[in-house]
Amino acid sequence: MPELPEVETIARALRNGGRNEPPVTGRVISGAAVLWERTVATPTVEEFLARLPGQEILDVRRRGKFVVISLSRLDTLLFHLRMSGDLRVEPGVDENVQPLPLAPHDRLVIHFADGYRLAFNDARKFGRAWLVHEPREVLAGLGLDPFDPALTPEVFDQMLHARSRQLKPLLLDQTFLAGLGNIYTDEALHLARLYPLRQSDELTFEEASRLLEAIRAVLQEGIARNGASIDWVYRGGDFQNSFRVYQRTGQPCPVCGHPIERTLVGQRGTHYCPVCQPRKG
DNA sequence: CCTGAAACCTGTCTGC
DNA sequence: TGCAGACAGGTTTCAG
């Protein structure tokens, strides 16, 4: 489920507690179990399991689509949810201190000294975890966060003109901007009234400003609605009820009423309104 | 540097 | 009902 708003929602729940679950901050790790070995990107599973016990969870943040968990021994635990990952906090044992069953597709479980646990669930097995001393090892190469104050309309315009790429694949490129995925890119391009295949270096300054504003607006709304919940990958958000174009092929454009069209751009399903998002600016 | 295709995976839905 | 095929919120790698 993971684009910036969904990852932000999860990181906040882990840090402060969510509607149905307590926070992980302040808990002390007692052990861990890896159920799908490839989930651990680095270090080896053996070292991963050996290094965690005894460490306290100090803080949980988001960077791009990464969940970044600071631990007490100057270690950092990072997760990337990819297509189907999710993180839950729940009791790990019942009243008689017997282990509670895990969920289908749980790939990694971190146990806490107080009996709670953090479970990484990931049906498609694309998600990854890293345990590193220096988070830069994993996060280096990410572009600016869309909400970074340094990202002014002037800077964004320069970034677009420094490349010559189709808008949609460029916005999906995490080294360009960190956090956008397929949903919010389609939504932002529609709100900005820009055709997904426009060349980035052909945008006017006005169009670039409009795009930056639209990106921030759709992400803000996504966060305010706790992200989007789609299909069987459910997380409790309801931004899916506000989609302008995403997964609305054939339905009327909320602005002009023309049927939304779907095409393939860089192998990704792309939804747009041919009237509001004309090929030429 | 840019684009497109394939790979990594499982689950769901559609159409024949 | 069964089954093949398309498709899914992501990223990396490789070929042209």
Side-chain angles (χ1 to χ4, degrees), chain A residues 3 167 171 177 180-195 207 210-219 239 244-246 271 277:
Chain A
E3 296 183 38
L167 282 182
L171 295 177
L177 261 193
L180 285 174
N182 210 35
I183 292 178
Y184 293 90
T185 300
D186 280 4
E187 295 296 303
L189 286 169
H190 180 268
L191 183 57
R193 307 192 303 279
L194 293 170
Y195 182 60
E207 288 172 327
R210 214 200 292 157
L211 180 54
L212 178 59
E213 202 176 326
I215 288 168
R216 287 176 166 160
V218 297
L219 292 176
F239 184 63
R244 307 164 64 90
V245 288
Y246 186 77
H271 313 76
Q277 298 165 268

PDB file of all heavy atoms in Angstrom, chain A residues 3 167 171 177 180-195 207 210-219 239 244-246 271 277:
ATOM      1  N   GLU A   3       2.615   4.316  -0.704  1.00  0.00           N
ATOM      2  CA  GLU A   3       3.198   5.540  -1.239  1.00  0.00           C
ATOM      3  C   GLU A   3       3.387   6.443  -0.033  1.00  0.00           C
ATOM      4  O   GLU A   3       3.080   6.049   1.082  1.00  0.00           O
ATOM      5  CB  GLU A   3       2.293   6.170  -2.305  1.00  0.00           C
ATOM      6  CG  GLU A   3       2.136   5.279  -3.535  1.00  0.00           C
ATOM      7  CD  GLU A   3       1.300   5.916  -4.629  1.00  0.00           C
ATOM      8  OE1 GLU A   3       1.426   7.127  -4.837  1.00  0.00           O
ATOM      9  OE2 GLU A   3       0.518   5.208  -5.273  1.00  0.00           O
ATOM     10  N   LEU A 167       6.868  13.123 -18.020  1.00  0.00           N
ATOM     11  CA  LEU A 167       6.528  13.536 -16.653  1.00  0.00           C
ATOM     12  C   LEU A 167       6.235  12.370 -15.724  1.00  0.00           C
ATOM     13  O   LEU A 167       6.759  12.309 -14.609  1.00  0.00           O
ATOM     14  CB  LEU A 167       5.302  14.458 -16.675  1.00  0.00           C
ATOM     15  CG  LEU A 167       5.554  15.901 -17.087  1.00  0.00           C
ATOM     16  CD1 LEU A 167       4.249  16.683 -17.002  1.00  0.00           C
ATOM     17  CD2 LEU A 167       6.617  16.536 -16.189  1.00  0.00           C
ATOM     18  N   LEU A 171       8.305  11.511 -12.279  1.00  0.00           N
ATOM     19  CA  LEU A 171       7.746  11.695 -10.941  1.00  0.00           C
ATOM     20  C   LEU A 171       7.800  10.406 -10.130  1.00  0.00           C
ATOM     21  O   LEU A 171       7.845  10.430  -8.897  1.00  0.00           O
ATOM     22  CB  LEU A 171       6.299  12.201 -11.023  1.00  0.00           C
ATOM     23  CG  LEU A 171       6.127  13.594 -11.618  1.00  0.00           C
ATOM     24  CD1 LEU A 171       4.656  13.955 -11.708  1.00  0.00           C
ATOM     25  CD2 LEU A 171       6.874  14.631 -10.784  1.00  0.00           C
ATOM     26  N   LEU A 177      12.258  12.722  -6.972  1.00  0.00           N
ATOM     27  CA  LEU A 177      11.471  13.128  -5.804  1.00  0.00           C
ATOM     28  C   LEU A 177      11.201  11.836  -5.037  1.00  0.00           C
ATOM     29  O   LEU A 177      10.923  10.818  -5.658  1.00  0.00           O
ATOM     30  CB  LEU A 177      10.128  13.714  -6.218  1.00  0.00           C
ATOM     31  CG  LEU A 177       9.882  15.207  -6.294  1.00  0.00           C
ATOM     32  CD1 LEU A 177       8.388  15.462  -6.419  1.00  0.00           C
ATOM     33  CD2 LEU A 177      10.464  15.935  -5.108  1.00  0.00           C
ATOM     34  N   LEU A 180       6.448   9.717  -4.260  1.00  0.00           N
ATOM     35  CA  LEU A 180       5.307   9.532  -5.154  1.00  0.00           C
ATOM     36  C   LEU A 180       5.279   8.124  -5.712  1.00  0.00           C
ATOM     37  O   LEU A 180       6.308   7.537  -6.005  1.00  0.00           O
ATOM     38  CB  LEU A 180       5.373  10.518  -6.322  1.00  0.00           C
ATOM     39  CG  LEU A 180       5.020  11.970  -6.032  1.00  0.00           C
ATOM     40  CD1 LEU A 180       5.281  12.816  -7.271  1.00  0.00           C
ATOM     41  CD2 LEU A 180       3.568  12.098  -5.603  1.00  0.00           C
ATOM     42  N   GLY A 181       4.070   7.573  -5.887  1.00  0.00           N
ATOM     43  CA  GLY A 181       3.880   6.292  -6.547  1.00  0.00           C
ATOM     44  C   GLY A 181       2.817   6.444  -7.615  1.00  0.00           C
ATOM     45  O   GLY A 181       2.465   7.567  -7.999  1.00  0.00           O
ATOM     46  N   ASN A 182       2.291   5.321  -8.075  1.00  0.00           N
ATOM     47  CA  ASN A 182       1.395   5.354  -9.228  1.00  0.00           C
ATOM     48  C   ASN A 182       0.090   6.118  -8.974  1.00  0.00           C
ATOM     49  O   ASN A 182      -0.379   6.842  -9.849  1.00  0.00           O
ATOM     50  CB  ASN A 182       1.087   3.922  -9.682  1.00  0.00           C
ATOM     51  CG  ASN A 182       0.816   3.852 -11.163  1.00  0.00           C
ATOM     52  OD1 ASN A 182       1.409   4.588 -11.948  1.00  0.00           O
ATOM     53  ND2 ASN A 182      -0.100   2.993 -11.550  1.00  0.00           N
ATOM     54  N   ILE A 183      -0.478   5.963  -7.789  1.00  0.00           N
ATOM     55  CA  ILE A 183      -1.749   6.639  -7.498  1.00  0.00           C
ATOM     56  C   ILE A 183      -1.566   8.150  -7.463  1.00  0.00           C
ATOM     57  O   ILE A 183      -2.223   8.898  -8.203  1.00  0.00           O
ATOM     58  CB  ILE A 183      -2.304   6.218  -6.122  1.00  0.00           C
ATOM     59  CG1 ILE A 183      -2.736   4.765  -6.132  1.00  0.00           C
ATOM     60  CG2 ILE A 183      -3.477   7.125  -5.722  1.00  0.00           C
ATOM     61  CD1 ILE A 183      -3.244   4.270  -4.784  1.00  0.00           C
ATOM     62  N   TYR A 184      -0.672   8.598  -6.587  1.00  0.00           N
ATOM     63  CA  TYR A 184      -0.569  10.038  -6.335  1.00  0.00           C
ATOM     64  C   TYR A 184       0.024  10.781  -7.529  1.00  0.00           C
ATOM     65  O   TYR A 184      -0.233  11.968  -7.712  1.00  0.00           O
ATOM     66  CB  TYR A 184       0.199  10.292  -5.033  1.00  0.00           C
ATOM     67  CG  TYR A 184      -0.582   9.788  -3.834  1.00  0.00           C
ATOM     68  CD1 TYR A 184      -0.412   8.488  -3.373  1.00  0.00           C
ATOM     69  CD2 TYR A 184      -1.543  10.586  -3.218  1.00  0.00           C
ATOM     70  CE1 TYR A 184      -1.166   8.009  -2.309  1.00  0.00           C
ATOM     71  CE2 TYR A 184      -2.301  10.116  -2.165  1.00  0.00           C
ATOM     72  CZ  TYR A 184      -2.116   8.816  -1.702  1.00  0.00           C
ATOM     73  OH  TYR A 184      -2.865   8.330  -0.660  1.00  0.00           O
ATOM     74  N   THR A 185       0.805  10.075  -8.359  1.00  0.00           N
ATOM     75  CA  THR A 185       1.305  10.703  -9.580  1.00  0.00           C
ATOM     76  C   THR A 185       0.158  10.984 -10.547  1.00  0.00           C
ATOM     77  O   THR A 185       0.042  12.096 -11.080  1.00  0.00           O
ATOM     78  CB  THR A 185       2.360   9.797 -10.244  1.00  0.00           C
ATOM     79  OG1 THR A 185       3.441   9.609  -9.342  1.00  0.00           O
ATOM     80  CG2 THR A 185       2.865  10.418 -11.520  1.00  0.00           C
ATOM     81  N   ASP A 186      -0.703   9.982 -10.756  1.00  0.00           N
ATOM     82  CA  ASP A 186      -1.854  10.204 -11.639  1.00  0.00           C
ATOM     83  C   ASP A 186      -2.747  11.314 -11.096  1.00  0.00           C
ATOM     84  O   ASP A 186      -3.233  12.163 -11.854  1.00  0.00           O
ATOM     85  CB  ASP A 186      -2.679   8.904 -11.777  1.00  0.00           C
ATOM     86  CG  ASP A 186      -2.055   7.925 -12.770  1.00  0.00           C
ATOM     87  OD1 ASP A 186      -0.967   8.217 -13.288  1.00  0.00           O
ATOM     88  OD2 ASP A 186      -2.665   6.869 -13.031  1.00  0.00           O
ATOM     89  N   GLU A 187      -2.969  11.289  -9.781  1.00  0.00           N
ATOM     90  CA  GLU A 187      -3.841  12.295  -9.166  1.00  0.00           C
ATOM     91  C   GLU A 187      -3.247  13.697  -9.295  1.00  0.00           C
ATOM     92  O   GLU A 187      -3.949  14.666  -9.607  1.00  0.00           O
ATOM     93  CB  GLU A 187      -4.068  11.948  -7.686  1.00  0.00           C
ATOM     94  CG  GLU A 187      -4.829  10.653  -7.464  1.00  0.00           C
ATOM     95  CD  GLU A 187      -6.252  10.712  -8.006  1.00  0.00           C
ATOM     96  OE1 GLU A 187      -7.002  11.603  -7.581  1.00  0.00           O
ATOM     97  OE2 GLU A 187      -6.605   9.875  -8.861  1.00  0.00           O
ATOM     98  N   ALA A 188      -1.944  13.800  -9.072  1.00  0.00           N
ATOM     99  CA  ALA A 188      -1.287  15.119  -9.126  1.00  0.00           C
ATOM    100  C   ALA A 188      -1.280  15.663 -10.555  1.00  0.00           C
ATOM    101  O   ALA A 188      -1.524  16.857 -10.778  1.00  0.00           O
ATOM    102  CB  ALA A 188       0.129  15.023  -8.578  1.00  0.00           C
ATOM    103  N   LEU A 189      -1.013  14.787 -11.533  1.00  0.00           N
ATOM    104  CA  LEU A 189      -0.978  15.253 -12.921  1.00  0.00           C
ATOM    105  C   LEU A 189      -2.356  15.731 -13.375  1.00  0.00           C
ATOM    106  O   LEU A 189      -2.474  16.711 -14.112  1.00  0.00           O
ATOM    107  CB  LEU A 189      -0.456  14.139 -13.840  1.00  0.00           C
ATOM    108  CG  LEU A 189       1.051  13.880 -13.732  1.00  0.00           C
ATOM    109  CD1 LEU A 189       1.443  12.599 -14.463  1.00  0.00           C
ATOM    110  CD2 LEU A 189       1.841  15.068 -14.294  1.00  0.00           C
ATOM    111  N   HIS A 190      -3.386  15.058 -12.897  1.00  0.00           N
ATOM    112  CA  HIS A 190      -4.738  15.509 -13.261  1.00  0.00           C
ATOM    113  C   HIS A 190      -5.062  16.837 -12.599  1.00  0.00           C
ATOM    114  O   HIS A 190      -5.585  17.762 -13.250  1.00  0.00           O
ATOM    115  CB  HIS A 190      -5.783  14.460 -12.877  1.00  0.00           C
ATOM    116  CG  HIS A 190      -7.187  14.867 -13.232  1.00  0.00           C
ATOM    117  ND1 HIS A 190      -8.029  15.524 -12.359  1.00  0.00           N
ATOM    118  CD2 HIS A 190      -7.884  14.741 -14.396  1.00  0.00           C
ATOM    119  CE1 HIS A 190      -9.177  15.777 -12.963  1.00  0.00           C
ATOM    120  NE2 HIS A 190      -9.128  15.312 -14.199  1.00  0.00           N
ATOM    121  N   LEU A 191      -4.736  16.953 -11.323  1.00  0.00           N
ATOM    122  CA  LEU A 191      -5.005  18.208 -10.607  1.00  0.00           C
ATOM    123  C   LEU A 191      -4.234  19.361 -11.252  1.00  0.00           C
ATOM    124  O   LEU A 191      -4.715  20.490 -11.330  1.00  0.00           O
ATOM    125  CB  LEU A 191      -4.618  18.057  -9.134  1.00  0.00           C
ATOM    126  CG  LEU A 191      -4.900  19.249  -8.213  1.00  0.00           C
ATOM    127  CD1 LEU A 191      -6.384  19.632  -8.249  1.00  0.00           C
ATOM    128  CD2 LEU A 191      -4.462  18.939  -6.791  1.00  0.00           C
ATOM    129  N   ALA A 192      -3.028  19.054 -11.760  1.00  0.00           N
ATOM    130  CA  ALA A 192      -2.201  20.097 -12.396  1.00  0.00           C
ATOM    131  C   ALA A 192      -2.569  20.302 -13.868  1.00  0.00           C
ATOM    132  O   ALA A 192      -2.011  21.177 -14.533  1.00  0.00           O
ATOM    133  CB  ALA A 192      -0.723  19.735 -12.271  1.00  0.00           C
ATOM    134  N   ARG A 193      -3.490  19.481 -14.356  1.00  0.00           N
ATOM    135  CA  ARG A 193      -3.943  19.563 -15.755  1.00  0.00           C
ATOM    136  C   ARG A 193      -2.783  19.345 -16.731  1.00  0.00           C
ATOM    137  O   ARG A 193      -2.636  20.063 -17.717  1.00  0.00           O
ATOM    138  CB  ARG A 193      -4.634  20.913 -16.040  1.00  0.00           C
ATOM    139  CG  ARG A 193      -5.754  21.233 -15.056  1.00  0.00           C
ATOM    140  CD  ARG A 193      -6.599  22.412 -15.515  1.00  0.00           C
ATOM    141  NE  ARG A 193      -5.841  23.617 -15.726  1.00  0.00           N
ATOM    142  CZ  ARG A 193      -5.461  24.457 -14.761  1.00  0.00           C
ATOM    143  NH1 ARG A 193      -5.747  24.177 -13.492  1.00  0.00           N
ATOM    144  NH2 ARG A 193      -4.789  25.540 -15.045  1.00  0.00           N
ATOM    145  N   LEU A 194      -1.948  18.346 -16.444  1.00  0.00           N
ATOM    146  CA  LEU A 194      -0.800  18.065 -17.317  1.00  0.00           C
ATOM    147  C   LEU A 194      -0.876  16.637 -17.843  1.00  0.00           C
ATOM    148  O   LEU A 194      -1.109  15.692 -17.085  1.00  0.00           O
ATOM    149  CB  LEU A 194       0.507  18.257 -16.537  1.00  0.00           C
ATOM    150  CG  LEU A 194       0.812  19.698 -16.121  1.00  0.00           C
ATOM    151  CD1 LEU A 194       1.988  19.734 -15.151  1.00  0.00           C
ATOM    152  CD2 LEU A 194       1.096  20.551 -17.351  1.00  0.00           C
ATOM    153  N   TYR A 195      -0.644  16.489 -19.132  1.00  0.00           N
ATOM    154  CA  TYR A 195      -0.628  15.187 -19.798  1.00  0.00           C
ATOM    155  C   TYR A 195       0.585  14.397 -19.301  1.00  0.00           C
ATOM    156  O   TYR A 195       1.712  14.914 -19.287  1.00  0.00           O
ATOM    157  CB  TYR A 195      -0.570  15.407 -21.311  1.00  0.00           C
ATOM    158  CG  TYR A 195      -0.597  14.166 -22.160  1.00  0.00           C
ATOM    159  CD1 TYR A 195      -1.679  13.295 -22.103  1.00  0.00           C
ATOM    160  CD2 TYR A 195       0.448  13.883 -23.033  1.00  0.00           C
ATOM    161  CE1 TYR A 195      -1.725  12.154 -22.891  1.00  0.00           C
ATOM    162  CE2 TYR A 195       0.419  12.747 -23.839  1.00  0.00           C
ATOM    163  CZ  TYR A 195      -0.664  11.886 -23.757  1.00  0.00           C
ATOM    164  OH  TYR A 195      -0.709  10.772 -24.546  1.00  0.00           O
ATOM    165  N   GLU A 207       3.483  26.075 -15.320  1.00  0.00           N
ATOM    166  CA  GLU A 207       3.070  24.668 -15.249  1.00  0.00           C
ATOM    167  C   GLU A 207       3.853  23.923 -14.172  1.00  0.00           C
ATOM    168  O   GLU A 207       3.298  23.085 -13.454  1.00  0.00           O
ATOM    169  CB  GLU A 207       3.263  24.004 -16.616  1.00  0.00           C
ATOM    170  CG  GLU A 207       2.247  24.468 -17.659  1.00  0.00           C
ATOM    171  CD  GLU A 207       2.549  23.949 -19.062  1.00  0.00           C
ATOM    172  OE1 GLU A 207       3.745  23.784 -19.402  1.00  0.00           O
ATOM    173  OE2 GLU A 207       1.601  23.722 -19.822  1.00  0.00           O
ATOM    174  N   ARG A 210       2.459  24.851 -10.838  1.00  0.00           N
ATOM    175  CA  ARG A 210       1.161  24.205 -10.667  1.00  0.00           C
ATOM    176  C   ARG A 210       1.341  22.737 -10.293  1.00  0.00           C
ATOM    177  O   ARG A 210       0.634  22.194  -9.444  1.00  0.00           O
ATOM    178  CB  ARG A 210       0.422  24.311 -12.009  1.00  0.00           C
ATOM    179  CG  ARG A 210      -1.082  24.465 -11.912  1.00  0.00           C
ATOM    180  CD  ARG A 210      -1.712  24.081 -13.219  1.00  0.00           C
ATOM    181  NE  ARG A 210      -1.397  25.017 -14.293  1.00  0.00           N
ATOM    182  CZ  ARG A 210      -1.443  24.696 -15.582  1.00  0.00           C
ATOM    183  NH1 ARG A 210      -1.768  23.474 -15.978  1.00  0.00           N
ATOM    184  NH2 ARG A 210      -1.146  25.583 -16.488  1.00  0.00           N
ATOM    185  N   LEU A 211       2.324  22.081 -10.936  1.00  0.00           N
ATOM    186  CA  LEU A 211       2.570  20.668 -10.659  1.00  0.00           C
ATOM    187  C   LEU A 211       3.049  20.467  -9.223  1.00  0.00           C
ATOM    188  O   LEU A 211       2.582  19.572  -8.517  1.00  0.00           O
ATOM    189  CB  LEU A 211       3.599  20.108 -11.658  1.00  0.00           C
ATOM    190  CG  LEU A 211       3.967  18.633 -11.493  1.00  0.00           C
ATOM    191  CD1 LEU A 211       2.725  17.736 -11.503  1.00  0.00           C
ATOM    192  CD2 LEU A 211       4.944  18.199 -12.586  1.00  0.00           C
ATOM    193  N   LEU A 212       3.972  21.304  -8.786  1.00  0.00           N
ATOM    194  CA  LEU A 212       4.470  21.175  -7.414  1.00  0.00           C
ATOM    195  C   LEU A 212       3.335  21.372  -6.412  1.00  0.00           C
ATOM    196  O   LEU A 212       3.192  20.625  -5.442  1.00  0.00           O
ATOM    197  CB  LEU A 212       5.581  22.202  -7.159  1.00  0.00           C
ATOM    198  CG  LEU A 212       6.150  22.212  -5.734  1.00  0.00           C
ATOM    199  CD1 LEU A 212       6.741  20.853  -5.365  1.00  0.00           C
ATOM    200  CD2 LEU A 212       7.206  23.315  -5.593  1.00  0.00           C
ATOM    201  N   GLU A 213       2.520  22.369  -6.688  1.00  0.00           N
ATOM    202  CA  GLU A 213       1.385  22.640  -5.793  1.00  0.00           C
ATOM    203  C   GLU A 213       0.423  21.450  -5.770  1.00  0.00           C
ATOM    204  O   GLU A 213      -0.085  21.063  -4.710  1.00  0.00           O
ATOM    205  CB  GLU A 213       0.662  23.883  -6.308  1.00  0.00           C
ATOM    206  CG  GLU A 213      -0.165  24.605  -5.279  1.00  0.00           C
ATOM    207  CD  GLU A 213      -0.765  25.886  -5.853  1.00  0.00           C
ATOM    208  OE1 GLU A 213      -0.096  26.533  -6.706  1.00  0.00           O
ATOM    209  OE2 GLU A 213      -1.890  26.205  -5.467  1.00  0.00           O
ATOM    210  N   ALA A 214       0.189  20.849  -6.950  1.00  0.00           N
ATOM    211  CA  ALA A 214      -0.736  19.714  -7.038  1.00  0.00           C
ATOM    212  C   ALA A 214      -0.180  18.494  -6.306  1.00  0.00           C
ATOM    213  O   ALA A 214      -0.914  17.778  -5.617  1.00  0.00           O
ATOM    214  CB  ALA A 214      -0.985  19.375  -8.512  1.00  0.00           C
ATOM    215  N   ILE A 215       1.127  18.257  -6.464  1.00  0.00           N
ATOM    216  CA  ILE A 215       1.760  17.129  -5.768  1.00  0.00           C
ATOM    217  C   ILE A 215       1.545  17.270  -4.264  1.00  0.00           C
ATOM    218  O   ILE A 215       1.137  16.329  -3.574  1.00  0.00           O
ATOM    219  CB  ILE A 215       3.267  17.075  -6.094  1.00  0.00           C
ATOM    220  CG1 ILE A 215       3.470  16.605  -7.538  1.00  0.00           C
ATOM    221  CG2 ILE A 215       4.012  16.169  -5.126  1.00  0.00           C
ATOM    222  CD1 ILE A 215       4.893  16.801  -8.057  1.00  0.00           C
ATOM    223  N   ARG A 216       1.822  18.471  -3.757  1.00  0.00           N
ATOM    224  CA  ARG A 216       1.679  18.681  -2.312  1.00  0.00           C
ATOM    225  C   ARG A 216       0.219  18.546  -1.873  1.00  0.00           C
ATOM    226  O   ARG A 216      -0.076  17.990  -0.828  1.00  0.00           O
ATOM    227  CB  ARG A 216       2.252  20.044  -1.932  1.00  0.00           C
ATOM    228  CG  ARG A 216       3.763  20.036  -1.980  1.00  0.00           C
ATOM    229  CD  ARG A 216       4.382  21.385  -1.706  1.00  0.00           C
ATOM    230  NE  ARG A 216       5.810  21.235  -1.452  1.00  0.00           N
ATOM    231  CZ  ARG A 216       6.695  22.222  -1.552  1.00  0.00           C
ATOM    232  NH1 ARG A 216       6.303  23.429  -1.905  1.00  0.00           N
ATOM    233  NH2 ARG A 216       7.962  21.996  -1.288  1.00  0.00           N
ATOM    234  N   ALA A 217      -0.688  19.027  -2.709  1.00  0.00           N
ATOM    235  CA  ALA A 217      -2.110  18.984  -2.339  1.00  0.00           C
ATOM    236  C   ALA A 217      -2.620  17.544  -2.241  1.00  0.00           C
ATOM    237  O   ALA A 217      -3.299  17.183  -1.278  1.00  0.00           O
ATOM    238  CB  ALA A 217      -2.944  19.778  -3.349  1.00  0.00           C
ATOM    239  N   VAL A 218      -2.284  16.712  -3.239  1.00  0.00           N
ATOM    240  CA  VAL A 218      -2.813  15.338  -3.199  1.00  0.00           C
ATOM    241  C   VAL A 218      -2.152  14.537  -2.078  1.00  0.00           C
ATOM    242  O   VAL A 218      -2.803  13.708  -1.428  1.00  0.00           O
ATOM    243  CB  VAL A 218      -2.660  14.603  -4.557  1.00  0.00           C
ATOM    244  CG1 VAL A 218      -3.471  15.310  -5.635  1.00  0.00           C
ATOM    245  CG2 VAL A 218      -1.224  14.460  -4.982  1.00  0.00           C
ATOM    246  N   LEU A 219      -0.865  14.789  -1.822  1.00  0.00           N
ATOM    247  CA  LEU A 219      -0.196  14.077  -0.731  1.00  0.00           C
ATOM    248  C   LEU A 219      -0.767  14.498   0.622  1.00  0.00           C
ATOM    249  O   LEU A 219      -0.999  13.660   1.497  1.00  0.00           O
ATOM    250  CB  LEU A 219       1.315  14.322  -0.775  1.00  0.00           C
ATOM    251  CG  LEU A 219       2.059  13.706  -1.954  1.00  0.00           C
ATOM    252  CD1 LEU A 219       3.533  14.109  -1.937  1.00  0.00           C
ATOM    253  CD2 LEU A 219       1.940  12.181  -1.953  1.00  0.00           C
ATOM    254  N   PHE A 239      -8.678   7.428   1.318  1.00  0.00           N
ATOM    255  CA  PHE A 239      -8.422   8.345   0.207  1.00  0.00           C
ATOM    256  C   PHE A 239      -8.946   7.782  -1.117  1.00  0.00           C
ATOM    257  O   PHE A 239      -9.199   8.538  -2.055  1.00  0.00           O
ATOM    258  CB  PHE A 239      -6.920   8.648   0.099  1.00  0.00           C
ATOM    259  CG  PHE A 239      -6.586   9.665  -0.960  1.00  0.00           C
ATOM    260  CD1 PHE A 239      -7.067  10.967  -0.875  1.00  0.00           C
ATOM    261  CD2 PHE A 239      -5.804   9.320  -2.053  1.00  0.00           C
ATOM    262  CE1 PHE A 239      -6.774  11.896  -1.854  1.00  0.00           C
ATOM    263  CE2 PHE A 239      -5.505  10.250  -3.038  1.00  0.00           C
ATOM    264  CZ  PHE A 239      -5.990  11.539  -2.936  1.00  0.00           C
ATOM    265  N   ARG A 244      -9.545  11.134  -8.250  1.00  0.00           N
ATOM    266  CA  ARG A 244     -10.035  11.921  -9.387  1.00  0.00           C
ATOM    267  C   ARG A 244      -9.979  11.081 -10.667  1.00  0.00           C
ATOM    268  O   ARG A 244     -10.911  11.128 -11.487  1.00  0.00           O
ATOM    269  CB  ARG A 244      -9.165  13.169  -9.562  1.00  0.00           C
ATOM    270  CG  ARG A 244      -9.032  14.002  -8.291  1.00  0.00           C
ATOM    271  CD  ARG A 244      -7.873  14.993  -8.399  1.00  0.00           C
ATOM    272  NE  ARG A 244      -8.091  15.972  -9.445  1.00  0.00           N
ATOM    273  CZ  ARG A 244      -8.704  17.142  -9.244  1.00  0.00           C
ATOM    274  NH1 ARG A 244      -9.117  17.483  -8.048  1.00  0.00           N
ATOM    275  NH2 ARG A 244      -8.864  17.980 -10.248  1.00  0.00           N
ATOM    276  N   VAL A 245      -8.876  10.336 -10.844  1.00  0.00           N
ATOM    277  CA  VAL A 245      -8.700   9.539 -12.061  1.00  0.00           C
ATOM    278  C   VAL A 245      -8.268   8.096 -11.789  1.00  0.00           C
ATOM    279  O   VAL A 245      -8.608   7.196 -12.566  1.00  0.00           O
ATOM    280  CB  VAL A 245      -7.650  10.184 -12.995  1.00  0.00           C
ATOM    281  CG1 VAL A 245      -8.198  11.451 -13.633  1.00  0.00           C
ATOM    282  CG2 VAL A 245      -6.346  10.456 -12.271  1.00  0.00           C
ATOM    283  N   TYR A 246      -7.508   7.874 -10.738  1.00  0.00           N
ATOM    284  CA  TYR A 246      -6.927   6.550 -10.518  1.00  0.00           C
ATOM    285  C   TYR A 246      -8.011   5.481 -10.403  1.00  0.00           C
ATOM    286  O   TYR A 246      -8.954   5.632  -9.620  1.00  0.00           O
ATOM    287  CB  TYR A 246      -6.047   6.544  -9.256  1.00  0.00           C
ATOM    288  CG  TYR A 246      -5.328   5.232  -9.102  1.00  0.00           C
ATOM    289  CD1 TYR A 246      -4.207   4.953  -9.879  1.00  0.00           C
ATOM    290  CD2 TYR A 246      -5.798   4.266  -8.235  1.00  0.00           C
ATOM    291  CE1 TYR A 246      -3.568   3.735  -9.776  1.00  0.00           C
ATOM    292  CE2 TYR A 246      -5.164   3.042  -8.129  1.00  0.00           C
ATOM    293  CZ  TYR A 246      -4.050   2.781  -8.900  1.00  0.00           C
ATOM    294  OH  TYR A 246      -3.432   1.575  -8.807  1.00  0.00           O
ATOM    295  N   HIS A 271      -3.868   6.785 -15.625  1.00  0.00           N
ATOM    296  CA  HIS A 271      -5.239   7.275 -15.786  1.00  0.00           C
ATOM    297  C   HIS A 271      -5.222   8.784 -15.957  1.00  0.00           C
ATOM    298  O   HIS A 271      -4.540   9.484 -15.209  1.00  0.00           O
ATOM    299  CB  HIS A 271      -6.070   6.882 -14.573  1.00  0.00           C
ATOM    300  CG  HIS A 271      -5.899   5.445 -14.162  1.00  0.00           C
ATOM    301  ND1 HIS A 271      -4.772   4.996 -13.495  1.00  0.00           N
ATOM    302  CD2 HIS A 271      -6.684   4.365 -14.344  1.00  0.00           C
ATOM    303  CE1 HIS A 271      -4.888   3.689 -13.283  1.00  0.00           C
ATOM    304  NE2 HIS A 271      -6.035   3.280 -13.789  1.00  0.00           N
ATOM    305  N   GLN A 277      -6.270  17.205 -19.606  1.00  0.00           N
ATOM    306  CA  GLN A 277      -4.827  17.021 -19.682  1.00  0.00           C
ATOM    307  C   GLN A 277      -4.405  16.849 -21.150  1.00  0.00           C
ATOM    308  O   GLN A 277      -4.007  15.765 -21.569  1.00  0.00           O
ATOM    309  CB  GLN A 277      -4.404  15.792 -18.853  1.00  0.00           C
ATOM    310  CG  GLN A 277      -4.728  15.911 -17.367  1.00  0.00           C
ATOM    311  CD  GLN A 277      -4.643  14.575 -16.651  1.00  0.00           C
ATOM    312  OE1 GLN A 277      -5.645  13.869 -16.530  1.00  0.00           O
ATOM    313  NE2 GLN A 277      -3.469  14.206 -16.181  1.00  0.00           N
TER     314      GLN A 277
END
